[in-house]
Amino acid sequence: MPRTITPAPWEELVTTALLGTDRRPTASDGGAAGLLDAAALHTVRRRAGLRPAAPAARPEPAPVDQRPPLPPAARRRLAQLLADRSASAGSGGRRGTAPDLTELIPQWLATANQQGFRAPAALLPALLDAARARTDLRPQALTFAGPRGLWLAGLNPEWKFALRGSSGGSSLPDPTEPEAVTRLWEEGLFAERVALLGAVRAHDPVAALVLLATTWTTERAEDRLMFLDSLRTGLSSVDEPFLEQALSDRSRNVRSTAAELLSALPESALAGRMASRALSCVSPDLTGDEASVAVEAPHECDAAMERDGVVAAPPSGRGERSWWLGQLVEATPLATWPARFGGRSAQEIVGLPVADGWAEELHASWCRATVRQRDPEWARALLGAASLPPSNGPGTASLAERSKLLGILPSAERAGWVADFIAAHGLSEAFQLLGVCPTPWAGPLGRAVVDALDIARDAGSYPWSFSGVMGLAERCLNPAEADRLEVLTTTPDEPEDASPGANGYWSEAFQRLVSTLRLRAAMDSELTPAA
């Protein structure tokens, strides 16, 4: 007669195995054989991607995924990457020369999605587990998982995150079918409605605004904010009337977002109102031997300013007048300033001396305006020459703001500026700047990073303070650089004043870099269809 196996938690089975079945019998009271049977049952359930549950109606079959399957070598590589993620979870990092496979998962997923492959059904549970543990993996992992991944996520509460960012696996109605669109808009889940608004907006921006207006007054404040934020994509003058109405919204966050969006439209009425206020505060001073910038910050924040998005109360440590001035300048179209300063270019305006200690506030405000309006000419002017120390630059010393300015420039120009910055100042302040450079790094940027690492090694310090940059190099250097970097894996003689054993640690780090680059090259080859 078959023995009935009673389900038991995995932790209980592990404890029984450690203590022995004599000291801690299994729930099925089957001794060692019962323990193995219970472990096998748990494993089968785990691999099926389902939590143990009472018998119920069978789910609908998974949808068909028409994408081509992975090549066998790429399938094996994905299984290896996901298995390494599970094995290293909670290990607290690793040392040695072996590549960190966990950090290669994002790149592998991005390449697989570019090639249009579908995820192997057997690896979907491990893929969803990886995406649950790492939010940075979710967009690429869910794209790769495809419709079957969403279907599977609907069967396990642990994977419900996959349904929040999608329409739940359901297809959106055709934007040209008004009845179906209205029904989903009024009855759908929030994620479905956000996706629907985006689809309608891509087809007909005016129709999307009409749809949004039908329920706007009944939406929750947080939902109104999310819907408004979705208008950033494809923002145009068509949106201005709706955004102007939103300036009177009962939610301060909604009002603030509406004002920000309007200020990104240089021809909007709000941008004109803010420009008029800013021009009354910032003007050229031609009374001295050379031109300069005179600043007279606002003395009050009236109701009209508040309606246009100016926040009256400053943060702790900020003066009211500088706080109000910054918001006015930030929301002013950058095209306003050349006319105000006699036809001078952005570079010439930024280079003018600013009276009474207002330079830092004014330049920081111009930086925020540049990022909001995506203006490359002003970005170049505020960044200045890469060889200048950040504290002496024309715009801002903040590396975070410099990174945002760099993000406006074309890819090649961005990488060249950062390469020159590293050549002039080393790597100590370059980490944030490297994060905005396109990958794989262009040749000059990659060489600048490696040369700076080599200089740091020759200085005799330990490599640990450069671990962040080394990790970026492993993921962002062109894999074709591996052979050229082989010479750095040797361990040269240490100078007398060097830290003990530092060169050995550097050699280990460069060996890991080279082996990671070669592994990335192999991964790309496995995912590239044969010609």
Side-chain angles (χ1 to χ4, degrees):
M1 180 177 178
R3 181 173 68 254
T4 300
I5 303 175
T6 303
W10 181 254
E11 292 77 8
E12 181 179 324
L13 297 178
V14 172
T15 302
T16 300
L18 291 173
L19 296 178
T21 54
D22 292 338
R23 299 177 59 188
R24 186 184 177 97
T26 61
S28 59
D29 199 23
L35 174 63
L36 294 176
D37 287 341
L41 176 64
H42 182 93
T43 301
V44 168
R45 282 179 168 152
R46 180 64 176 169
R47 288 178 177 174
L50 294 171
R51 298 185 68 179
R58 291 184 178 181
E60 291 294 323
V64 176
D65 192 337
Q66 300 289 355
R67 295 175 297 176
L70 282 172
R75 188 188 185 284
R76 291 191 294 270
R77 181 73 67 189
L78 175 61
Q80 179 189 19
L81 294 175
L82 294 175
D84 187 78
R85 184 203 72 82
S86 300
S88 62
S91 62
R94 63 179 72 191
R95 291 276 304 278
T97 61
D100 186 347
L101 301 186
T102 301
E103 292 305 315
L104 297 180
I105 295 177
Q107 180 177 332
W108 190 98
L109 288 171
T111 306
N113 286 331
Q114 289 171 1
Q115 298 293 348
F117 291 118
R118 73 168 182 259
L123 294 179
L124 283 174
L127 182 65
L128 290 171
D129 277 343
R132 178 168 66 98
R134 286 180 56 177
T135 56
D136 63 309
L137 291 180
R138 291 180 183 178
Q140 294 282 9
L142 294 179
T143 298
F144 184 57
R148 289 187 171 185
L150 290 179
W151 172 86
L152 189 60
L155 302 175
N156 186 344
E158 291 186 355
W159 299 327
K160 62 183 179 182
F161 70 87
L163 306 177
R164 287 197 292 265
S166 71
S167 58
S170 63
S171 59
L172 296 174
D174 191 308
T176 62
E177 299 177 358
E179 291 184 2
V181 167
T182 300
R183 183 166 56 252
L184 183 59
W185 180 253
E186 294 178 350
E187 302 175 2
L189 300 173
F190 181 71
E192 293 175 321
R193 300 178 71 212
V194 171
L196 176 65
L197 184 64
V200 175
R201 184 170 173 80
H203 174 73
D204 185 347
V206 174
L209 293 174
V210 171
L211 183 67
L212 184 55
T214 59
T215 59
W216 180 257
T217 58
T218 62
E219 303 285 359
R220 299 182 305 167
E222 54 266 37
D223 291 349
R224 294 199 306 279
L225 183 62
M226 291 293 290
F227 286 134
L228 204 61
D229 197 62
S230 70
L231 300 184
R232 294 180 190 277
T233 302
L235 182 68
S236 72
S237 58
V238 170
D239 302 309
E240 183 178 356
F242 184 88
L243 294 172
E244 273 285 344
Q245 293 180 2
L247 290 176
S248 301
D249 195 89
R250 56 187 180 274
S251 166
R252 186 179 70 178
N253 289 335
V254 171
R255 296 195 302 270
S256 176
T257 300
E260 179 189 345
L261 293 174
L262 283 168
S263 68
L265 296 171
E267 302 301 322
S268 69
L270 178 136
R273 296 193 296 270
M274 298 299 265
S276 178
R277 295 174 181 124
L279 289 174
S280 69
C281 298
V282 181
S283 59
D285 184 353
L286 305 177
T287 58
D289 294 335
E290 61 176 350
S292 62
V293 182
V295 175
E296 180 66 29
H299 291 274
E300 65 173 343
C301 180
D302 57 30
M305 289 171 61
E306 289 196 62
R307 184 183 182 276
D308 282 347
V310 177
V311 178
S316 176
R318 287 289 301 273
E320 284 184 335
R321 298 182 66 199
S322 64
W323 172 243
W324 299 332
L325 173 71
Q327 293 179 80
L328 296 182
V329 174
E330 178 182 352
T332 296
L334 292 165
T336 303
W337 300 112
R340 180 62 161 167
F341 284 88
R344 287 179 172 85
S345 67
Q347 183 175 359
E348 291 171 329
I349 295 171
V350 170
L352 292 174
V354 182
D356 302 326
W358 285 104
E360 183 177 351
E361 180 62 51
L362 182 60
H363 288 174
S365 303
W366 275 334
C367 284
R368 295 193 296 273
T370 300
V371 172
R372 182 179 295 185
Q373 298 172 40
R374 311 295 297 173
D375 190 305
E377 182 186 358
W378 276 84
R380 296 184 186 100
L382 290 162
L383 282 167
S387 58
L388 288 175
S391 58
N392 296 339
T396 172
S398 166
L399 291 174
E401 290 184 344
R402 286 188 158 210
S403 298
K404 293 176 182 178
L405 292 172
L406 280 168
I408 301 170
L409 301 181
S411 298
E413 184 179 356
R414 193 186 320 165
W417 195 95
V418 176
D420 292 343
F421 181 92
I422 292 171
H425 311 295
L427 291 169
S428 59
E429 296 183 306
F431 186 80
Q432 279 185 289
L433 305 179
L434 285 168
V436 300
C437 293
T439 58
W441 288 335
L445 176 57
R447 288 191 291 273
V449 171
V450 173
D451 289 347
L453 288 170
D454 197 19
I455 291 172
R457 176 178 67 170
D458 290 344
S461 60
Y462 287 118
W464 302 315
S465 58
F466 300 95
S467 59
V469 174
M470 186 66 80
L472 274 179
E474 292 174 10
R475 298 189 295 275
C476 301
L477 271 175
N478 192 321
E481 296 287 319
D483 291 342
R484 189 178 70 84
L485 299 179
E486 185 71 44
V487 66
L488 298 177
T489 62
T490 59
T491 307
D493 296 333
E494 292 181 352
E496 293 182 0
D497 58 346
S499 302
N503 276 356
Y505 288 117
W506 276 108
S507 176
E508 181 182 276
F510 281 121
Q511 288 178 51
R512 184 169 60 250
L513 172 60
V514 170
S515 61
T516 301
L517 294 178
R518 288 178 173 155
L519 177 57
R520 285 175 50 208
M523 286 167 38
D524 289 343
S525 176
E526 293 162 358
L527 285 166
T528 302

